[in-house]
Amino acid sequence: MAFVPTGPEASFFDALDRHRASLLAVVKQGAGEVPTGVTRVVSRFEDSVGLQMIPQCITRKIKSDSPKSVKKFALILKILSMIYKLVQSNTYATKRSRTWCSFTISTLHFHRDIYYTDSQLFGNQAAVDNIIDDISCMLKVPRRSLHVLSTSKGLVAGNLRYMEEDGTRVQCTCSATATAVPSNIQGIRNLITDAKFLLIVEKDATFQRLLDDNFCSRMSPCIMVTGKGIPDLNTRLLVKKLWDTFHLPVFTLVDADPHGMEIMCIYKYGSLSMSFEAHSLTVPAIRWLGLLPSDIKRLNIPKDSLIPLTKHDHMKLDSILRRPYISCQPFWRKEMEMMADSKMKAEIQALTFLSSDYLSRVYLPNKLRFGGWI
């Protein structure tokens, strides 16, 4: 069954089509490919991949006969034994999401029933998270290969259908009800879409408002995804899979504040904590659609609709400006410096000053039609 076209005329997508053609040309030339056989250790940035690992690094030694590391050694053995049983029985453990601030991204928890198999040994679930990261990095395999999955919190809507690993057919729609991001992204297959673009929306409230305003239907064919703030692993994997499968233009809609920029950077470039999986998580082709600090000035958003930057905001902004990938994004730097100079930030909701549906009926359609991304 084919998707029924309900969106704008074909000419509306001219700028998007040109953008996609340029992306495909880069892909065809081989840019963005990662050479095989490379050991990834936190420390290096490559524009085509994101933050990734390099062979030369400082290593940590865990000794079984050292009082300082004996507990860590015991934890590694305990969790390795659990992973071995999961792999042998071809079963999976589920972990719950947890977000970390600063320059880390979402990490994952073992399900509490696993944690409680030996709570005195584990001490807390954060210790289990760190061990899973260490084991995954040490063995150079993704978490799914360890048979440890995460519970998804993200949502997807639009012109997309696929089949899950168990044979369940999923039909995403442009209606007011979105579909939960699958917990097993690697297992989905037979993906079909005729979407012109993929829009990543930072916040669930904005995502739901766009659905309520029929933005997805009026801009059809398209796909919308939200990670409800800092994205969980499965939401990032889905965005990566859609990019790898269809090479659609991918855009982000985030608040014009340091937190929104951090989230956008996670989708595009990844983070230090997950750099050993950068090649399977990042989409460097992502573009910043909005909300841009320059849009605030251009649209004459009144000052009482803006929010002063806090001390923490200034620290976060300075941190982002110092990151290696910002040197590859002069337009991003200009926008961030504009925010720093104004000492103000804005949420997407500030656009309601112009009209309640300005975001869905004017701002986003104009951005998409006339190439208003950076």
Side-chain angles (χ1 to χ4, degrees):
M1 181 179 66
F3 293 108
V4 179
T6 58
E9 296 180 357
S11 60
F12 178 92
F13 296 109
D14 284 349
L16 284 169
D17 290 339
R18 289 193 297 271
H19 180 48
R20 188 184 186 195
S22 66
L23 294 174
L24 291 174
V26 173
V27 171
K28 189 175 181 180
Q29 292 170 2
E33 294 180 357
V34 184
T36 57
V38 176
T39 302
R40 294 174 172 81
V41 176
V42 175
S43 168
R44 182 175 65 191
F45 164 74
E46 286 190 9
D47 187 41
S48 61
V49 180
L51 290 165
Q52 60 172 326
M53 303 170 94
I54 60 172
Q56 297 79 23
C57 68
I58 297 174
T59 59
R60 287 184 297 167
K61 293 184 178 180
I62 306 296
K63 298 181 179 180
S64 61
D65 59 352
S66 169
K68 292 184 179 180
S69 59
V70 64
K71 183 175 181 180
K72 184 73 173 286
F73 186 79
L75 281 171
I76 291 174
L77 290 182
K78 177 71 174 180
I79 296 177
L80 277 172
S81 69
M82 291 180 173
I83 291 171
Y84 177 78
K85 292 175 182 177
L86 291 170
V87 174
Q88 285 291 94
S89 61
N90 196 30
T91 55
Y92 290 82
T94 302
K95 299 199 298 179
R96 298 187 307 166
S97 298
R98 174 186 177 184
T99 56
W100 288 69
C101 60
S102 187
F103 192 40
T104 61
I105 62 167
S106 60
T107 65
L108 304 168
H109 283 167
F110 255 123
H111 198 271
R112 292 189 70 84
D113 56 359
I114 297 178
Y115 162 70
Y116 280 120
T117 59
D118 202 330
S119 60
Q120 288 187 340
L121 174 63
F122 292 141
N124 57 69
Q125 289 186 331
V128 179
D129 296 336
N130 294 331
I131 294 297
I132 289 292
D133 283 342
D134 288 344
I135 292 174
S136 184
C137 184
M138 177 178 65
L139 299 179
K140 301 182 181 66
V141 296
R143 286 162 183 73
R144 187 178 184 280
S145 297
L146 305 178
H147 279 231
V148 179
L149 302 178
S150 61
T151 301
S152 300
K153 66 170 182 172
L155 299 171
V156 57
N159 299 61
L160 175 68
R161 59 178 181 267
Y162 55 85
M163 182 181 293
E164 295 188 342
E165 191 173 37
D166 62 0
T168 302
R169 296 180 183 275
V170 178
Q171 171 83 53
C172 302
T173 67
C174 294
S175 66
T177 303
T179 302
V181 170
S183 293
N184 183 3
I185 300 299
Q186 289 88 344
I188 65 176
R189 59 189 188 277
N190 299 340
L191 286 87
I192 300 173
T193 187
D194 61 350
K196 290 287 187 177
F197 66 93
L198 167 62
L199 179 64
I200 300 170
V201 183
E202 174 190 350
K203 297 186 294 189
D204 182 40
T206 305
F207 181 85
Q208 295 295 339
R209 179 57 190 266
L210 290 174
L211 290 180
D212 291 342
D213 286 350
N214 292 319
F215 170 81
C216 196
S217 296
R218 288 187 288 105
M219 290 294 104
S220 180
C222 68
I223 300 171
M224 291 202 314
V225 170
T226 182
K228 298 182 179 181
I230 297 177
D232 60 286
L233 184 66
N234 288 323
T235 301
R236 295 181 61 196
L237 285 169
L238 177 62
V239 171
K240 174 66 172 177
K241 192 176 187 72
L242 291 172
W243 162 252
D244 286 343
T245 305
F246 303 109
H247 293 111
L248 299 172
V250 184
F251 304 108
T252 56
L253 176 64
V254 299
D255 288 337
D257 65 14
H259 183 70
M261 293 170 183
E262 177 78 278
I263 290 172
M264 177 172 58
C265 291
I266 288 171
Y267 281 107
K268 184 176 176 72
Y269 292 122
S271 73
L272 292 176
S273 64
M274 297 285 287
S275 58
F276 62 94
E277 287 194 56
H279 61 295
S280 63
L281 289 173
T282 60
V283 183
I286 285 175
R287 296 292 180 264
W288 186 2
L289 189 67
L291 179 67
L292 303 180
S294 59
D295 291 334
I296 297 171
K297 182 177 181 180
R298 177 176 60 85
L299 298 172
N300 295 317
I301 303 298
K303 193 169 183 177
D304 58 7
S305 297
L306 307 181
I307 305 169
L309 290 174
T310 65
K311 183 178 179 180
H312 178 75
D313 289 331
H314 282 290
M315 293 173 61
K316 170 67 71 177
L317 193 56
D318 289 342
S319 169
I320 297 174
L321 283 168
R322 290 195 302 269
R323 295 177 190 172
Y325 46 72
I326 296 301
S327 62
C328 304
Q329 298 290 343
F331 294 111
W332 284 28
R333 173 176 288 277
K334 184 177 179 181
E335 294 288 338
M336 293 179 191
E337 289 174 346
M338 186 180 301
M339 178 186 298
D341 291 341
S342 71
K343 298 181 174 57
M344 303 296 286
K345 60 184 179 179
E347 296 184 334
I348 298 167
Q349 286 78 3
L351 294 176
T352 58
F353 162 79
L354 299 166
S355 71
S356 60
D357 57 356
Y358 187 84
L359 174 67
S360 61
R361 291 190 175 273
V362 181
Y363 181 82
L364 289 177
N366 283 343
K367 285 265 184 172
L368 293 165
R369 183 170 189 175
F370 301 110
W373 52 79
I374 58 175

